[in-house]
């Protein structure tokens, strides 16, 4: 049988907006997810019906191991035996059942990518160390409780829900007798009184942070993403997963599709001169790839930007990447820009406001002026002598 994959070729595979297959021959292929996971699968027929055997994830299952398992499975198929029932694969891990669970859910690509990334970051590295049927509620609580205590309780709640869904799948397969994740969410520490994302409205402090961002010496993509985020008001996820096909430098516009947005509505971001300069710089580096701000190992992680901001501010935690949106909203309202234009640019307007403002062509001329004025305002804040409240605004 002719084989087509090599380890070098596999390492060059890049995630796309939708999952795709890269064949090796004889029905064996790698299933590449939008989150960048590489999963070995074998498509075959049993009793005249199409079926799929999931072998494991690369590189945990090497190319050689996948081919060996594939050959064993093909032999069984020729003998009329369903290889899924013959257990020719390695013992299944928690991550295997999690991916099977995700395949049954009707999720938008962006939602699927975020959900899988959270599990790959927080759950798989620990839970894959034990046979999944031996995982207990105590194991899950010991894993998820510290995440809640670290200040990311919302992430912990999500992870507990993901675990419950995975073990529900195992219950349905009669592999376990009870769901160890059933009560984990209820056992997590209660949240403190809600506090908005850390943000700044003091112009001298904001200028200090902006100068710190300009001086940041870490990963180049992180540094450029930090400079870019204050200019566009996007949620951190949209900055981290900004794709080149969303960017039109000629028209100076980012257009994000509905499935990328929290409100499931397409969103346009006019680009200032400063934002265009950052994107043109990144195009020289990542323009041949998919993501604008490509990290060393793919997309920037969920806490990368916040961690960098915390280092820049000396660990004070006075500003988060999401808090930049609060900062912009507060100061732009003070500067006299229309609230409808601001809310549209923040992409969190209510339905009634959407209907009224979209009838006004999305207020795009005002938003274009506002975005350039805001970028100029931030540039001037970097110069201590220019920190004058109210100097910049609608008339700038």
């Amino acid at each position: 049988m002719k084989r087509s994959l090599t380890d070098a070729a596999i390492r060059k595979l890049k995630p796309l907006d939708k999952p795709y297959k890269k064949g090796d021959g004889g029905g064996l292929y790698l299933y590449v997810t939008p989150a960048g996971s590489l999963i070995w699968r074998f498509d075959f027929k049993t009793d005249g019906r199409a079926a799929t055997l999931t072998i494991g994830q690369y590189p945990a299952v090497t190319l050689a191991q996948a081919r060996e398992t594939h050959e064993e499975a093909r032999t069984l198929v020729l003998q009329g035996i369903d290889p899924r029932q013959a257990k020719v694969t390695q013992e299944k891990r928690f991550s295997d059942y999690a991916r099977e669970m995700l395949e049954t859910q009707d999720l938008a690509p962006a939602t699927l990518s975020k959900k899988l990334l959270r599990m790959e970051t927080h759950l798989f590295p620990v839970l894959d160390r034990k046979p999944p049927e031996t995982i207990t509620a105590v194991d899950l609580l010991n894993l998820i409780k510290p995440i809640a205590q670290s200040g990311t309780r919302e992430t912990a709640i999500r992870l507990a829900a993901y675990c419950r869904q995975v073990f529900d799948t195992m219950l349905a397969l009669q592999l376990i007798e009870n769901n160890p994740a059933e009560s984990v969410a209820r056992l997590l520490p209660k949240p403190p009184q809600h506090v908005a994302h850390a943000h700044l409205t003091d112009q001298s402090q904001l200028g200090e942070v902006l100068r710190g961002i300009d001086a940041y010496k870490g990963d180049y993509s992180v540094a450029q993403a930090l400079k870019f985020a204050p200019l566009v008001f996007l949620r951190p996820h949209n900055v981290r997963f900004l794709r080149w096909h969303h960017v039109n430098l000629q028209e100076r516009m980012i257009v994000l599709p509905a499935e990328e947005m929290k409100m499931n509505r397409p969103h346009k971001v006019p680009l200032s001169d400063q934002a265009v300069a950052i994107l043109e710089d990144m195009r020289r580096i990542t323009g041949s790839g998919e993501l604008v701000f490509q990290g060393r190992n793919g997309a920037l992680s969920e806490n990368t930007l916040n961690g960098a901001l915390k280092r820049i501010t000396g660990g004070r935690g006075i500003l988060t990447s999401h808090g930049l949106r609060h900062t912009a909203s507060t100061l732009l309202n003070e500067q006299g820009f229309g609230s409808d234009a601001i809310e549209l640019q923040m992409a969190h307007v209510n339905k009634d406001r959407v209907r009224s403002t979209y009838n006004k062509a999305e207020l795009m001329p005002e938003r274009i002026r506002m975005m350039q004025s805001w970028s100029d305002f931030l540039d001037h804040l970097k110069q201590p002598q220019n920190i004058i409240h109210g100097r910049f605004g609608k008339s700038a």
Side-chain angles (χ1 to χ4, degrees), residues 73-293:
R74 287 184 73 238
T75 299
L76 291 170
V77 170
L78 292 174
Q79 296 172 356
I81 302 172
D82 187 338
R84 296 173 300 177
Q85 304 302 320
K87 297 183 179 180
V88 300
T89 62
Q90 299 175 346
E91 288 296 323
K92 280 190 174 182
R93 301 169 298 173
F94 176 88
S95 59
D96 298 318
Y97 290 109
R99 291 188 172 88
E100 289 179 6
M101 178 271 294
L102 288 175
E103 290 175 5
T104 68
Q105 297 189 335
D106 184 18
L107 301 175
T111 303
L112 175 64
S113 177
K114 285 190 284 187
K115 190 169 184 176
L116 182 58
L117 182 60
R118 288 191 189 102
M119 289 195 284
E120 289 175 333
T121 302
H122 300 287
L123 299 180
F124 295 172
V126 176
L127 298 182
D128 277 358
R129 297 173 187 167
K130 295 185 66 174
E133 63 274 10
T134 69
I135 295 173
T136 66
V138 174
D139 293 328
L140 298 175
L141 192 61
N142 287 340
L143 172 61
I144 297 175
K145 185 177 179 180
I147 297 172
Q149 292 172 326
S150 71
T152 53
R153 189 175 189 274
E154 185 178 347
T155 297
I157 292 291
R158 285 194 177 108
L159 294 173
Y162 300 164
C163 288
R164 190 178 67 250
Q165 293 168 353
V166 174
F167 287 113
D168 277 345
T169 299
M170 295 180 64
L171 269 174
L173 297 172
Q174 298 183 346
L175 299 174
I176 54 178
E177 295 183 357
N178 58 75
N179 189 330
E182 188 63 41
S183 300
V184 170
R186 295 194 294 272
L187 297 174
L188 294 176
K190 299 299 180 185
Q193 186 174 359
H194 176 71
V195 178
H197 295 280
H199 63 287
L200 295 173
T201 54
D202 181 273
Q203 294 184 17
S204 62
Q205 286 186 317
L206 182 55
E208 180 184 352
V209 171
L210 292 171
R211 290 192 294 274
I213 289 174
D214 283 350
Y216 182 69
K217 301 299 183 183
D219 179 87
Y220 193 72
S221 284
V222 174
Q224 294 299 81
L226 286 172
K227 294 176 185 177
F228 186 72
L231 306 177
V232 291
F233 315 160
L234 289 173
R235 293 180 174 87
H237 173 83
N238 295 124
V239 173
R240 295 189 297 113
F241 287 93
L242 180 63
R243 292 170 169 80
W244 280 114
H245 67 261
H246 297 153
V247 178
N248 188 326
L249 287 176
Q250 185 174 358
E251 296 186 7
R252 299 167 64 90
M253 190 75 68
I254 291 172
V255 180
L256 296 174
E259 59 268 22
E260 293 284 340
M261 300 303 298
K262 185 176 182 179
M263 291 189 67
N264 198 32
R265 189 183 303 278
H267 182 57
K268 294 181 180 179
V269 183
L271 296 171
S272 63
D273 295 339
Q274 294 88 332
V276 168
I278 291 172
L279 291 173
E280 287 179 339
D281 178 57
M282 290 305 300
R283 186 166 59 176
R284 296 184 296 102
I285 301 169
T286 65
S288 60
E290 181 187 9
L291 297 174
V292 174
F293 301 106

Side-chain angles (χ1 to χ4, degrees), residues 4 13 42 101 108 115 133 136 165 167 230 235 250-251 261 266 298 301 308 310 312 321 329 331 338 357 360:
S4 58
L13 295 177
F42 168 42
M101 178 271 294
K115 190 169 184 176
E133 63 274 10
T136 66
Q165 293 168 353
F167 287 113
R235 293 180 174 87
Q250 185 174 358
E251 296 186 7
M261 300 303 298
S301 68
K310 193 169 184 178
I312 288 169
S321 55
S329 178
L331 293 180
T357 52
K360 301 174 185 176

